[in-house]
Amino acid sequence: MNTGSDEPGEVAVAADGAKVDESASEQGLGSKAPEFIKARRMLHLSWQVGIFVIGLAVVVLGIIMLPLPGPGWVVIFGGMAIWATEFVWAQLVLRWTKRKVTEAAQRALDPKVRRRNIILTSVGLVIVAVIVGVYLWKFGVVMPWKIKDQ
């Protein structure tokens, strides 16, 4: 959050009126590696490479799961969380994603939006039921690949 000032420790006011300490929002960025690993440059670099490779494998597995059965998005965000233990850019992406998901959840709980979603779902179910009914009326319980010229 940018308060328009570069003064450290300045308190900003959020949109809902709650006070937000800017230093607390930036706290926790950076490597979560143990101190004895951070103290040795080569060990820390190899630690980062290992974390990157493991996170990349998990993200690729999640991408593979997107068209296949499986929790693709959950696995992708799991890989991002693995990266976030070591890389600031991944921590920022996860914070942005969490903020957007929270905003979407709040919008979905809005009574007007819920009412609209229920109406659209009901209309969609009625359309699907009509299509299934017409199919059953015309062909009976027969799979489409077994329908002869009728």
Side-chain angles (χ1 to χ4, degrees), residues 30-39 43-44 47-48 51 84-86 91:
S31 177
K32 306 284 192 270
E35 289 302 321
F36 74 91
I37 291 177
K38 285 191 226 177
L43 187 57
H44 191 231
W47 176 271
Q48 286 182 328
I51 293 293
T85 63
E86 202 56 40
Q91 293 169 357

Side-chain angles (χ1 to χ4, degrees), residues 3 17 22 29 32 35-37 43 46 53 66 94 100 104 111 116 122 128-129 141 149:
T3 60
E22 186 139 349
L29 292 178
K32 306 284 192 270
E35 289 302 321
F36 74 91
I37 291 177
L43 187 57
S46 61
V53 169
L66 286 176
L94 278 180
K100 291 297 179 183
R116 184 200 64 202
S122 301
V128 168
V141 184
D149 293 334

Side-chain angles (χ1 to χ4, degrees), residues 79-123:
M80 289 296 295
I82 291 171
W83 279 338
T85 63
E86 202 56 40
F87 303 107
V88 173
W89 60 268
Q91 293 169 357
L92 295 174
V93 167
L94 278 180
R95 284 183 181 181
W96 179 84
T97 304
K98 286 179 185 177
R99 188 175 64 249
K100 291 297 179 183
V101 166
T102 303
E103 290 171 7
Q106 290 301 320
R107 281 193 312 267
L109 293 176
D110 181 30
K112 291 180 183 177
V113 174
R114 289 185 69 205
R115 190 175 314 118
R116 184 200 64 202
N117 289 346
I118 290 171
I119 290 170
L120 289 174
T121 301
S122 301
V123 169

Side-chain angles (χ1 to χ4, degrees), residues 49-76:
V49 168
I51 293 293
F52 182 79
V53 169
I54 292 169
L56 182 64
V58 173
V59 168
V60 167
L61 183 66
I63 291 171
I64 291 170
M65 284 185 191
L66 286 176
L68 300 174
W73 286 110
V74 174
V75 174
I76 289 171

